[in-house]
């Protein structure tokens, strides 16, 4: 009989995690779409974001299809790891949630290591300067 209650408890925790995640699933793509549209709605806002140090240091070379520097990859992986570690710590009573979070974290790390090309900082500076020169000539 105790086994029945353990199984029922695990199912209940799993259903609770699903119940917490399912309402967010439809909202997330619309949130991303709204952020994209908002950023594109104002040329001034878009230009401001593209000129920020955050964008230039972390995303510009990736968006242009060249890859990321090792430092940028480590910064992003570190921030995501800290954020996910906080969620992992808060899910002490939800082992299914912890398992899902651990799988997502491992996939994130593997993607950054093997899926995104690592480039040298010098390569980034030279290639981005050339790309900016081409854009200035086209404008």
């Amino acid at each position: 009989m105790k086994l029945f209650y353990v199984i029922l408890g695990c199912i209940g925790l799993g259903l609770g995690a699903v119940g917490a995640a399912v309402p967010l699933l439809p909202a997330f793509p619309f949130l991303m779409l709204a952020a994209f549209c908002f950023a594109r709605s104002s040329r001034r806002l878009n230009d401001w974001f593209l000129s920020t140090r955050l964008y230039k240091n972390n995303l510009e070379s990736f968006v242009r299809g060249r890859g990321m520097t090792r430092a940028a990859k480590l910064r992003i992986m570190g921030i995501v790891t800290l954020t996910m570690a906080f969620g992992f710590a808060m899910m002490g009573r939800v082992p299914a949630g912890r398992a899902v979070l651990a799988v997502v974290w491992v996939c994130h790390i593997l993607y950054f290591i093997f899926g995104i090309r690592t480039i040298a900082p010098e390569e980034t500076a030279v290639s981005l300067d050339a790309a900016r020169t081409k854009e200035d000539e086209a404008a």
Side-chain angles (χ1 to χ4, degrees), residues 76-77 80-81 103-113:
I76 292 171
M77 285 191 296
V80 169
T81 298
V103 168
V104 169
W105 179 77
V106 167
C107 291
H108 163 74
I109 296 297
L110 291 174
Y111 176 71
F112 266 77
I113 291 172

Side-chain angles (χ1 to χ4, degrees), residues 19-116:
V22 167
L24 299 176
L25 290 177
F28 188 73
F30 292 112
L31 175 65
M32 295 305 292
L33 178 64
F36 176 78
C37 291
F38 179 71
R40 295 291 179 166
S41 68
S42 167
R43 181 76 176 159
R44 184 175 161 202
L45 177 64
N46 190 44
D47 291 343
W48 168 80
F49 178 69
L50 296 179
S51 69
T52 61
R53 201 172 71 193
L54 173 75
Y55 177 79
K56 289 183 181 204
N57 290 344
N58 297 306
L59 296 173
E60 189 171 28
S61 62
F62 177 72
V63 170
R64 294 188 186 276
R66 290 175 179 80
M68 294 178 120
T69 62
R70 184 178 311 275
K73 282 180 160 184
L74 291 175
R75 261 192 311 271
I76 292 171
M77 285 191 296
I79 290 170
V80 169
T81 298
L82 287 174
T83 304
M84 292 181 98
F86 178 75
F88 192 83
M90 292 291 123
M91 287 192 209
R93 295 183 179 174
V94 187
R98 279 186 156 190
V100 168
L101 203 53
V103 168
V104 169
W105 179 77
V106 167
C107 291
H108 163 74
I109 296 297
L110 291 174
Y111 176 71
F112 266 77
I113 291 172
F114 299 112
I116 298 175

Side-chain angles (χ1 to χ4, degrees), residues 64 66 126-139:
R64 294 188 186 276
R66 290 175 179 80
V126 171
S127 61
L128 291 179
D129 286 340
R132 285 188 193 122
T133 304
K134 286 181 186 176
E135 286 178 1
D136 292 340
E137 291 172 357

